[in-house]
Coordinates of all heavy atoms in Angstrom, one line a residue:
M1 N 45.4 -40.2 34.8 CA 44.8 -39.0 35.5 C 45.5 -38.8 36.8 O 45.8 -39.8 37.5 CB 43.4 -39.2 35.7 CG 42.5 -39.2 34.5 SD 41.5 -37.8 34.6 CE 40.9 -37.7 33.0
A2 N 45.7 -37.6 37.2 CA 46.4 -37.3 38.4 C 45.4 -37.3 39.6 O 44.2 -37.1 39.4 CB 47.0 -35.9 38.3
Q3 N 45.9 -37.4 40.7 CA 45.0 -37.4 42.0 C 45.6 -36.4 42.9 O 46.8 -36.2 42.9 CB 45.0 -38.7 42.6 CG 44.3 -39.8 41.8 CD 44.3 -41.1 42.6 OE1 44.5 -41.2 43.8 NE2 43.9 -42.2 41.9
I4 N 44.8 -35.7 43.7 CA 45.3 -34.8 44.8 C 44.5 -35.2 46.1 O 43.4 -35.8 46.0 CB 45.1 -33.4 44.4 CG1 43.5 -33.0 44.3 CG2 45.8 -33.0 43.2 CD1 43.3 -31.5 44.2
L5 N 45.2 -34.9 47.1 CA 44.6 -35.1 48.5 C 44.5 -33.8 49.2 O 45.5 -33.1 49.2 CB 45.4 -36.1 49.3 CG 45.0 -36.3 50.7 CD1 43.6 -37.0 50.8 CD2 46.1 -37.2 51.4
V6 N 43.4 -33.4 49.7 CA 43.2 -32.1 50.3 C 43.0 -32.4 51.8 O 42.1 -33.1 52.2 CB 42.0 -31.3 49.8 CG1 41.9 -30.0 50.6 CG2 42.1 -31.1 48.3
R7 N 44.0 -32.0 52.6 CA 44.0 -32.3 54.1 C 43.5 -31.0 54.8 O 43.6 -29.9 54.3 CB 45.4 -32.6 54.6 CG 45.8 -34.0 54.0 CD 47.2 -34.3 54.4 NE 47.6 -35.5 53.6 CZ 48.5 -36.3 53.9 NH1 49.3 -36.0 55.0 NH2 48.8 -37.3 53.2
N8 N 43.1 -31.2 56.0 CA 42.7 -30.1 56.9 C 41.6 -29.3 56.4 O 41.6 -28.1 56.5 CB 43.9 -29.3 57.3 CG 45.0 -30.1 58.0 OD1 44.7 -31.0 58.8 ND2 46.2 -29.8 57.6
L9 N 40.6 -29.9 55.7 CA 39.4 -29.2 55.2 C 38.5 -28.9 56.3 O 38.1 -29.9 57.0 CB 38.8 -30.0 54.1 CG 37.7 -29.4 53.2 CD1 38.3 -28.3 52.4 CD2 37.1 -30.5 52.3
E10 N 38.1 -27.7 56.5 CA 37.1 -27.4 57.6 C 35.8 -28.1 57.4 O 35.4 -28.3 56.3 CB 36.9 -25.9 57.6 CG 38.1 -25.0 57.9 CD 38.8 -24.6 56.6 OE1 38.4 -24.9 55.5 OE2 39.9 -24.0 56.7
D11 N 35.2 -28.5 58.5 CA 34.0 -29.2 58.5 C 32.9 -28.4 57.8 O 32.1 -29.0 57.0 CB 33.5 -29.6 59.9 CG 34.4 -30.6 60.6 OD1 35.0 -31.4 59.8 OD2 34.4 -30.7 61.8
R12 N 32.8 -27.2 58.0 CA 31.8 -26.3 57.4 C 32.0 -26.3 55.9 O 31.0 -26.3 55.1 CB 32.0 -24.9 58.0 CG 30.9 -24.0 57.5 CD 30.8 -22.7 58.2 NE 29.8 -21.8 57.7 CZ 29.9 -20.6 57.2 NH1 31.2 -20.1 57.2 NH2 28.9 -19.9 56.8
L13 N 33.3 -26.2 55.4 CA 33.5 -26.2 54.0 C 33.1 -27.5 53.4 O 32.5 -27.6 52.3 CB 35.0 -25.9 53.7 CG 35.4 -25.6 52.3 CD1 34.6 -24.5 51.7 CD2 36.9 -25.4 52.2
K14 N 33.5 -28.6 54.0 CA 33.1 -29.9 53.6 C 31.5 -30.0 53.5 O 31.0 -30.6 52.5 CB 33.6 -31.0 54.5 CG 33.2 -32.4 54.0 CD 33.7 -33.5 55.0 CE 33.1 -34.8 54.6 NZ 33.1 -35.8 55.6
G15 N 30.8 -29.5 54.5 CA 29.4 -29.6 54.4 C 28.8 -28.8 53.3 O 27.9 -29.2 52.6
R16 N 29.4 -27.6 53.0 CA 28.9 -26.8 51.9 C 29.2 -27.5 50.6 O 28.4 -27.5 49.7 CB 29.6 -25.4 51.9 CG 29.1 -24.6 53.1 CD 29.8 -23.3 53.1 NE 29.6 -22.5 51.9 CZ 30.3 -21.4 51.5 NH1 31.3 -21.1 52.3 NH2 30.0 -20.8 50.5
L17 N 30.3 -28.2 50.5 CA 30.6 -29.0 49.3 C 29.6 -30.1 49.1 O 29.1 -30.3 48.0 CB 32.1 -29.5 49.3 CG 32.5 -30.3 48.1 CD1 32.5 -29.5 46.8 CD2 34.0 -30.8 48.3
Q18 N 29.3 -30.8 50.1 CA 28.3 -31.9 50.1 C 27.0 -31.4 49.6 O 26.3 -32.0 48.8 CB 28.2 -32.6 51.5 CG 29.3 -33.5 51.8 CD 29.1 -34.1 53.2 OE1 28.7 -33.3 54.2 NE2 29.5 -35.3 53.4
H19 N 26.6 -30.3 50.2 CA 25.3 -29.7 49.9 C 25.2 -29.3 48.4 O 24.3 -29.6 47.7 CB 25.0 -28.5 50.7 CG 23.7 -27.8 50.5 ND1 22.5 -28.4 50.8 CD2 23.4 -26.6 49.9 CE1 21.5 -27.5 50.4 NE2 22.0 -26.5 49.8
R20 N 26.3 -28.6 47.9 CA 26.4 -28.2 46.5 C 26.4 -29.4 45.6 O 25.7 -29.4 44.6 CB 27.6 -27.4 46.3 CG 27.8 -26.8 44.9 CD 29.0 -25.9 44.9 NE 29.3 -25.7 43.5 CZ 29.9 -24.7 43.0 NH1 30.2 -23.7 43.8 NH2 30.2 -24.5 41.7
A21 N 27.1 -30.4 45.9 CA 27.2 -31.7 45.1 C 25.8 -32.3 45.0 O 25.4 -32.7 44.0 CB 28.2 -32.7 45.7
K22 N 25.1 -32.4 46.2 CA 23.8 -33.0 46.2 C 22.8 -32.1 45.3 O 22.0 -32.7 44.5 CB 23.2 -33.0 47.6 CG 21.9 -33.7 47.7 CD 21.5 -33.9 49.2 CE 20.2 -34.6 49.3 NZ 19.7 -34.7 50.6
R23 N 22.9 -30.8 45.4 CA 22.1 -29.9 44.6 C 22.3 -30.1 43.1 O 21.3 -30.0 42.3 CB 22.4 -28.5 45.0 CG 21.3 -27.5 44.6 CD 21.6 -26.1 45.2 NE 22.8 -25.5 44.7 CZ 23.8 -25.0 45.5 NH1 23.6 -25.1 46.8 NH2 24.9 -24.5 45.0
H24 N 23.5 -30.4 42.7 CA 23.9 -30.6 41.3 C 23.8 -32.1 40.9 O 24.1 -32.4 39.7 CB 25.2 -30.1 41.0 CG 25.3 -28.6 41.1 ND1 26.3 -27.9 41.7 CD2 24.5 -27.6 40.6 CE1 26.1 -26.6 41.6 NE2 25.0 -26.4 41.0
G25 N 23.4 -33.0 41.8 CA 23.3 -34.4 41.5 C 24.6 -35.1 41.2 O 24.7 -35.9 40.3
R26 N 25.7 -34.7 41.9 CA 27.0 -35.3 41.7 C 27.6 -35.7 43.0 O 27.1 -35.3 44.1 CB 28.0 -34.2 41.1 CG 27.6 -33.6 39.8 CD 28.8 -32.7 39.3 NE 28.6 -31.3 39.5 CZ 28.4 -30.4 38.6 NH1 28.3 -30.8 37.4 NH2 28.2 -29.1 38.9
S27 N 28.6 -36.5 42.9 CA 29.4 -36.8 44.1 C 30.2 -35.6 44.5 O 30.4 -34.7 43.7 CB 30.3 -38.0 43.8 OG 31.4 -37.6 42.9
M28 N 30.7 -35.7 45.7 CA 31.6 -34.6 46.2 C 32.8 -34.5 45.4 O 33.3 -33.4 45.0 CB 32.0 -34.8 47.7 CG 30.9 -34.4 48.6 SD 31.4 -34.6 50.4 CE 33.1 -34.2 50.5
E29 N 33.4 -35.6 45.0 CA 34.6 -35.6 44.1 C 34.3 -35.0 42.8 O 35.1 -34.2 42.3 CB 35.0 -37.1 44.0 CG 36.3 -37.2 43.2 CD 36.8 -38.7 43.2 OE1 36.5 -39.5 44.1 OE2 37.4 -39.0 42.2
A30 N 33.2 -35.3 42.1 CA 32.8 -34.8 40.8 C 32.6 -33.3 41.0 O 33.0 -32.5 40.1 CB 31.6 -35.4 40.3
E31 N 32.0 -32.8 42.1 CA 31.7 -31.4 42.3 C 33.0 -30.7 42.5 O 33.2 -29.6 42.0 CB 30.8 -31.2 43.5 CG 30.3 -29.8 43.7 CD 29.3 -29.3 42.6 OE1 28.7 -30.2 42.0 OE2 29.3 -28.1 42.4
A32 N 33.9 -31.2 43.2 CA 35.2 -30.6 43.4 C 36.0 -30.5 42.1 O 36.6 -29.4 41.8 CB 36.1 -31.4 44.4
R33 N 35.9 -31.5 41.2 CA 36.5 -31.4 39.9 C 35.9 -30.2 39.1 O 36.6 -29.5 38.5 CB 36.3 -32.7 39.1 CG 37.4 -33.7 39.5 CD 37.4 -34.9 38.4 NE 36.1 -35.5 38.4 CZ 35.8 -36.6 39.1 NH1 36.7 -37.2 40.0 NH2 34.6 -37.2 39.0
E34 N 34.6 -30.1 39.2 CA 33.9 -29.1 38.4 C 34.3 -27.7 38.9 O 34.5 -26.8 38.1 CB 32.4 -29.3 38.4 CG 31.6 -28.4 37.6 CD 31.9 -28.6 36.1 OE1 32.3 -29.6 35.7 OE2 31.6 -27.6 35.3
I35 N 34.4 -27.5 40.2 CA 34.8 -26.3 40.8 C 36.2 -25.9 40.3 O 36.5 -24.8 39.9 CB 34.7 -26.3 42.3 CG1 33.2 -26.4 42.8 CG2 35.4 -25.1 43.0 CD1 33.0 -26.7 44.2
L36 N 37.1 -26.9 40.4 CA 38.4 -26.6 40.0 C 38.5 -26.3 38.4 O 39.2 -25.4 38.0 CB 39.3 -27.8 40.2 CG 39.7 -28.0 41.7 CD1 40.4 -29.4 41.9 CD2 40.6 -26.9 42.1
R37 N 37.8 -27.0 37.6 CA 37.7 -26.7 36.2 C 37.3 -25.3 35.9 O 37.9 -24.6 35.1 CB 36.7 -27.7 35.5 CG 37.4 -28.8 34.7 CD 36.3 -29.6 33.9 NE 36.6 -30.9 34.2 CZ 35.8 -31.7 34.9 NH1 34.7 -31.3 35.5 NH2 36.1 -33.0 35.1
N38 N 36.2 -24.9 36.6 CA 35.7 -23.5 36.4 C 36.6 -22.5 36.9 O 36.8 -21.4 36.3 CB 34.3 -23.4 37.0 CG 33.2 -24.1 36.3 OD1 33.3 -24.4 35.1 ND2 32.2 -24.5 37.0
A39 N 37.3 -22.7 38.0 CA 38.2 -21.8 38.6 C 39.4 -21.6 37.8 O 40.1 -20.5 37.8 CB 38.5 -22.2 40.0
L40 N 39.8 -22.6 37.1 CA 41.1 -22.6 36.4 C 41.0 -22.5 34.9 O 41.9 -22.8 34.1 CB 41.9 -23.8 36.8 CG 42.3 -23.9 38.3 CD1 42.9 -25.2 38.6 CD2 43.1 -22.8 38.7
K41 N 39.8 -22.1 34.4 CA 39.6 -22.0 32.9 C 40.5 -20.9 32.4 O 40.8 -19.9 33.1 CB 38.2 -21.5 32.6 CG 37.1 -22.6 32.6 CD 35.8 -22.0 32.3 CE 34.7 -23.0 32.4 NZ 33.4 -22.4 32.2
E42 N 41.1 -21.1 31.2 CA 41.9 -20.1 30.6 C 41.1 -18.9 30.2 O 40.1 -19.2 29.6 CB 42.7 -20.7 29.5 CG 43.7 -21.7 29.9 CD 44.6 -22.2 28.8 OE1 44.9 -21.4 27.8 OE2 45.1 -23.3 28.9
E43 N 41.6 -17.8 30.4 CA 40.8 -16.6 30.0 C 41.0 -16.4 28.5 O 42.0 -16.6 28.0 CB 41.3 -15.4 30.8 CG 41.0 -15.5 32.3 CD 41.4 -14.3 33.0 OE1 41.7 -13.2 32.4 OE2 41.6 -14.4 34.2
G44 N 39.9 -16.0 27.9 CA 39.9 -15.9 26.4 C 40.3 -14.6 25.9 O 39.7 -14.1 25.0
G45 N 41.3 -14.0 26.4 CA 41.8 -12.7 25.9 C 41.4 -11.5 26.8 O 40.9 -11.7 27.9
T46 N 41.6 -10.4 26.3 CA 41.3 -9.1 27.0 C 39.8 -8.9 27.0 O 39.2 -9.1 25.9 CB 42.1 -8.0 26.5 OG1 41.8 -7.8 25.1 CG2 43.6 -8.2 26.6
P47 N 39.3 -8.4 28.1 CA 37.8 -8.0 28.1 C 37.6 -6.8 27.1 O 38.4 -6.0 27.0 CB 37.5 -7.7 29.5 CG 38.8 -7.4 30.2 CD 39.9 -8.1 29.4
V48 N 36.4 -6.9 26.5 CA 36.0 -5.8 25.6 C 34.7 -5.3 26.0 O 33.9 -6.0 26.7 CB 36.0 -6.3 24.1 CG1 37.3 -6.6 23.6 CG2 35.0 -7.4 23.9
G49 N 34.3 -4.1 25.5 CA 33.0 -3.6 25.8 C 31.9 -4.3 25.1 O 32.1 -5.1 24.2
F50 N 30.6 -4.1 25.6 CA 29.5 -4.7 25.0 C 29.3 -4.5 23.5 O 29.0 -5.4 22.7 CB 28.2 -4.3 25.7 CG 26.9 -4.9 25.2 CD1 26.6 -6.2 25.4 CD2 26.1 -4.1 24.4 CE1 25.5 -6.7 24.8 CE2 24.9 -4.6 23.9 CZ 24.6 -6.0 24.1
G51 N 29.5 -3.2 23.1 CA 29.4 -2.8 21.7 C 30.4 -3.6 20.8 O 30.1 -4.1 19.8
T52 N 31.6 -3.6 21.3 CA 32.7 -4.2 20.5 C 32.4 -5.7 20.4 O 32.5 -6.3 19.3 CB 34.0 -4.0 21.2 OG1 34.3 -2.6 21.3 CG2 35.2 -4.7 20.4
A53 N 32.0 -6.3 21.5 CA 31.6 -7.8 21.5 C 30.5 -8.1 20.5 O 30.4 -9.1 19.8 CB 31.4 -8.2 22.9
S54 N 29.4 -7.2 20.6 CA 28.3 -7.4 19.7 C 28.6 -7.3 18.3 O 28.2 -8.1 17.5 CB 27.2 -6.4 20.1 OG 26.8 -6.5 21.4
V55 N 29.4 -6.3 17.9 CA 29.8 -6.1 16.5 C 30.7 -7.3 16.0 O 30.5 -7.8 15.0 CB 30.6 -4.8 16.3 CG1 31.2 -4.7 15.0 CG2 29.6 -3.6 16.5
A56 N 31.6 -7.8 16.9 CA 32.4 -8.9 16.6 C 31.5 -10.2 16.4 O 31.8 -11.0 15.5 CB 33.4 -9.1 17.7
L57 N 30.5 -10.3 17.2 CA 29.6 -11.5 17.1 C 28.9 -11.5 15.8 O 28.7 -12.5 15.2 CB 28.7 -11.5 18.3 CG 27.7 -12.6 18.3 CD1 28.4 -13.9 18.6 CD2 26.7 -12.4 19.5
F58 N 28.4 -10.3 15.3 CA 27.6 -10.3 14.1 C 28.3 -9.8 12.9 O 27.7 -9.6 11.8 CB 26.3 -9.4 14.4 CG 25.5 -10.0 15.4 CD1 25.4 -9.4 16.7 CD2 24.7 -11.1 15.2 CE1 24.5 -9.9 17.6 CE2 23.8 -11.6 16.1 CZ 23.8 -11.0 17.4
S59 N 29.6 -9.6 12.9 CA 30.4 -9.2 11.7 C 30.2 -10.3 10.6 O 30.2 -11.5 10.9 CB 31.8 -9.1 12.1 OG 32.0 -7.9 12.9
G60 N 30.0 -9.8 9.4 CA 29.9 -10.7 8.3 C 28.5 -11.3 8.2 O 28.3 -12.2 7.4
Q61 N 27.5 -10.8 9.0 CA 26.2 -11.3 9.0 C 25.2 -10.5 8.2 O 24.0 -10.6 8.3 CB 25.6 -11.5 10.4 CG 26.5 -12.4 11.3 CD 26.5 -13.8 10.8 OE1 25.5 -14.4 10.4 NE2 27.7 -14.4 10.7
G62 N 25.7 -9.6 7.4 CA 24.9 -8.7 6.5 C 24.3 -7.5 7.2 O 23.2 -7.1 6.8
I63 N 24.9 -7.1 8.3 CA 24.3 -5.9 9.0 C 24.9 -4.6 8.6 O 24.7 -3.6 9.2 CB 24.3 -6.0 10.5 CG1 25.7 -6.2 11.0 CG2 23.4 -7.2 10.9 CD1 25.8 -6.1 12.5
G64 N 25.8 -4.6 7.6 CA 26.3 -3.3 7.0 C 27.5 -2.8 7.7 O 27.9 -1.7 7.5
L65 N 28.2 -3.6 8.5 CA 29.4 -3.1 9.1 C 30.6 -3.6 8.4 O 31.0 -4.7 8.5 CB 29.5 -3.5 10.6 CG 28.6 -2.8 11.5 CD1 28.7 -3.3 12.9 CD2 28.8 -1.3 11.5
E66 N 31.2 -2.8 7.5 CA 32.4 -3.1 6.7 C 33.5 -2.4 7.3 O 33.4 -1.6 8.2 CB 32.1 -2.6 5.3 CG 30.9 -3.3 4.6 CD 31.0 -4.7 4.4 OE1 32.1 -5.3 4.2 OE2 30.0 -5.4 4.5
K67 N 34.7 -2.7 6.9 CA 35.9 -2.0 7.3 C 35.7 -0.5 7.2 O 35.4 0.0 6.2 CB 37.1 -2.5 6.5 CG 38.5 -2.1 7.0 CD 38.7 -3.0 8.3 CE 40.2 -2.6 8.7 NZ 40.4 -3.1 10.1
G68 N 36.0 0.2 8.3 CA 35.9 1.6 8.3 C 34.6 2.1 8.8 O 34.4 3.3 9.0
E69 N 33.6 1.2 9.0 CA 32.3 1.5 9.6 C 32.1 1.1 11.0 O 31.0 0.9 11.5 CB 31.2 0.9 8.7 CG 31.1 1.4 7.3 CD 30.0 0.6 6.5 OE1 29.4 -0.3 7.1 OE2 29.7 1.1 5.4
E70 N 33.2 1.0 11.7 CA 33.2 0.5 13.1 C 32.4 1.5 13.9 O 32.3 2.6 13.7 CB 34.6 0.4 13.7 CG 35.4 -0.7 13.0 CD 36.1 -0.3 11.8 OE1 36.0 0.9 11.4 OE2 36.8 -1.1 11.1
I71 N 31.7 0.9 14.9 CA 30.9 1.7 15.9 C 31.9 2.0 17.0 O 32.5 1.2 17.6 CB 29.7 0.9 16.4 CG1 28.8 0.5 15.2 CG2 29.0 1.7 17.5 CD1 27.7 -0.4 15.6
R72 N 32.0 3.3 17.3 CA 32.8 3.7 18.4 C 32.2 3.3 19.8 O 31.0 3.3 19.9 CB 33.0 5.3 18.4 CG 33.7 5.8 17.3 CD 33.8 7.4 17.4 NE 32.7 7.9 18.1 CZ 32.7 9.1 18.7 NH1 33.8 9.8 18.7 NH2 31.7 9.5 19.4
E73 N 33.1 3.1 20.7 CA 32.7 2.9 22.1 C 32.3 4.2 22.7 O 33.0 5.2 22.5 CB 33.9 2.2 22.9 CG 34.2 0.8 22.5 CD 33.3 -0.2 23.0 OE1 32.5 0.1 23.9 OE2 33.3 -1.3 22.6
W74 N 31.3 4.2 23.5 CA 30.8 5.4 24.1 C 31.3 5.4 25.6 O 30.5 5.1 26.5 CB 29.3 5.6 24.1 CG 28.8 5.9 22.7 CD1 28.6 5.1 21.7 CD2 28.5 7.3 22.3 NE1 28.3 5.9 20.6 CE2 28.2 7.2 20.9 CE3 28.5 8.5 22.9 CZ2 27.8 8.3 20.2 CZ3 28.2 9.6 22.2 CH2 27.8 9.5 20.8
R75 N 32.5 5.8 25.8 CA 33.0 5.8 27.2 C 33.4 7.2 27.5 O 34.0 7.9 26.7 CB 34.3 4.9 27.3 CG 33.9 3.5 27.2 CD 35.1 2.6 27.5 NE 34.6 1.2 27.2 CZ 35.4 0.2 27.0 NH1 36.7 0.4 27.0 NH2 35.0 -1.0 26.9
G76 N 33.1 7.7 28.7 CA 33.5 9.0 29.1 C 32.6 10.1 28.7 O 32.8 11.3 28.9
F77 N 31.5 9.8 28.0 CA 30.5 10.8 27.6 C 29.4 10.9 28.6 O 28.8 9.9 29.1 CB 29.9 10.4 26.3 CG 30.9 10.5 25.1 CD1 31.6 9.4 24.7 CD2 31.1 11.7 24.5 CE1 32.5 9.5 23.7 CE2 32.0 11.8 23.4 CZ 32.7 10.7 23.0
P78 N 29.0 12.1 29.0 CA 27.9 12.2 30.0 C 26.6 11.8 29.3 O 26.3 12.1 28.1 CB 27.9 13.7 30.3 CG 28.6 14.4 29.2 CD 29.5 13.4 28.6
L79 N 25.8 11.1 30.1 CA 24.5 10.7 29.6 C 23.4 11.7 30.0 O 23.4 12.1 31.1 CB 24.1 9.3 30.1 CG 25.0 8.2 29.7 CD1 24.6 6.9 30.4 CD2 25.0 8.0 28.2
K80 N 22.5 12.1 29.1 CA 21.4 13.0 29.4 C 20.1 12.2 29.2 O 19.9 11.6 28.2 CB 21.5 14.2 28.4 CG 22.7 15.0 28.5 CD 22.7 16.2 27.5 CE 24.0 16.9 27.6 NZ 24.1 18.0 26.5
P81 N 19.3 12.3 30.2 CA 18.0 11.6 30.1 C 17.1 12.2 29.0 O 17.2 13.4 28.7 CB 17.3 11.8 31.5 CG 18.1 12.9 32.2 CD 19.4 13.0 31.5
I82 N 16.3 11.4 28.4 CA 15.5 11.9 27.3 C 14.3 12.6 27.9 O 13.7 12.2 28.8 CB 15.0 10.7 26.5 CG1 16.1 10.0 25.8 CG2 14.0 11.1 25.4 CD1 15.8 8.7 25.1
N83 N 14.0 13.7 27.3 CA 12.8 14.6 27.7 C 11.7 14.3 26.7 O 11.8 14.7 25.6 CB 13.2 16.0 27.8 CG 12.1 16.9 28.4 OD1 11.0 16.3 28.6 ND2 12.4 18.1 28.6
F84 N 10.7 13.6 27.1 CA 9.5 13.3 26.2 C 8.5 14.5 26.2 O 7.5 14.4 25.4 CB 8.9 12.0 26.6 CG 9.7 10.8 26.4 CD1 10.4 10.2 27.5 CD2 9.9 10.3 25.2 CE1 11.2 9.1 27.4 CE2 10.7 9.2 25.0 CZ 11.3 8.6 26.1
D85 N 8.7 15.5 27.0 CA 7.7 16.6 27.1 C 7.9 17.6 26.0 O 7.1 18.5 25.8 CB 7.8 17.3 28.4 CG 7.3 16.3 29.5 OD1 6.5 15.4 29.2 OD2 7.9 16.4 30.6
E86 N 9.0 17.6 25.3 CA 9.3 18.6 24.2 C 8.5 18.4 23.0 O 8.3 17.3 22.5 CB 10.8 18.7 24.0 CG 11.6 19.2 25.2 CD 13.1 19.2 24.9 OE1 13.5 18.8 23.8 OE2 13.8 19.6 25.8

């Protein structure tokens, strides 16, 4: 395993790291590793809309979305509030 040394760390930043580590029940070193892991996670592809992600999640689960029955993304369409008085 590799090691790194961080020099000239501001006292305030070190204090915040100590507080965060204590809150998570870890050492400062373990907390710094976790912060680095989360910051450097590989991104899983291009971001998609909620509808696209939902359909992809449930595809093949028997909800009737076959090839050609894709749900279009609703982008750029004006939204009109529902009128319940009619």
Side-chain angles (χ1 to χ4, degrees):
M1 292 246 166
Q3 294 182 11
I4 63 171
L5 172 66
V6 180
R7 295 178 188 198
N8 300 321
L9 190 64
E10 297 90 3
D11 291 335
R12 184 168 182 240
L13 189 59
K14 180 186 173 198
R16 290 177 61 197
L17 180 61
Q18 283 176 321
H19 180 72
R20 181 176 166 151
K22 185 176 182 181
R23 197 173 62 232
H24 292 135
R26 302 189 259 249
S27 67
M28 280 182 37
E29 187 176 326
E31 188 67 25
R33 276 193 301 268
E34 187 64 22
I35 290 169
L36 285 170
R37 254 186 231 107
N38 288 334
L40 300 174
K41 281 182 185 174
E42 291 188 29
E43 294 182 17
T46 57
V48 296
F50 176 75
T52 302
S54 299
V55 169
L57 181 65
F58 294 106
S59 288
Q61 302 296 316
I63 60 170
L65 289 176
E66 301 296 326
K67 190 72 174 165
E69 295 180 351
E70 292 85 3
I71 298 173
R72 294 182 329 160
E73 292 281 346
W74 284 83
R75 293 189 181 157
F77 291 93
L79 297 178
K80 296 178 184 174
I82 298 173
N83 185 355
F84 294 102
D85 295 330
E86 293 178 1

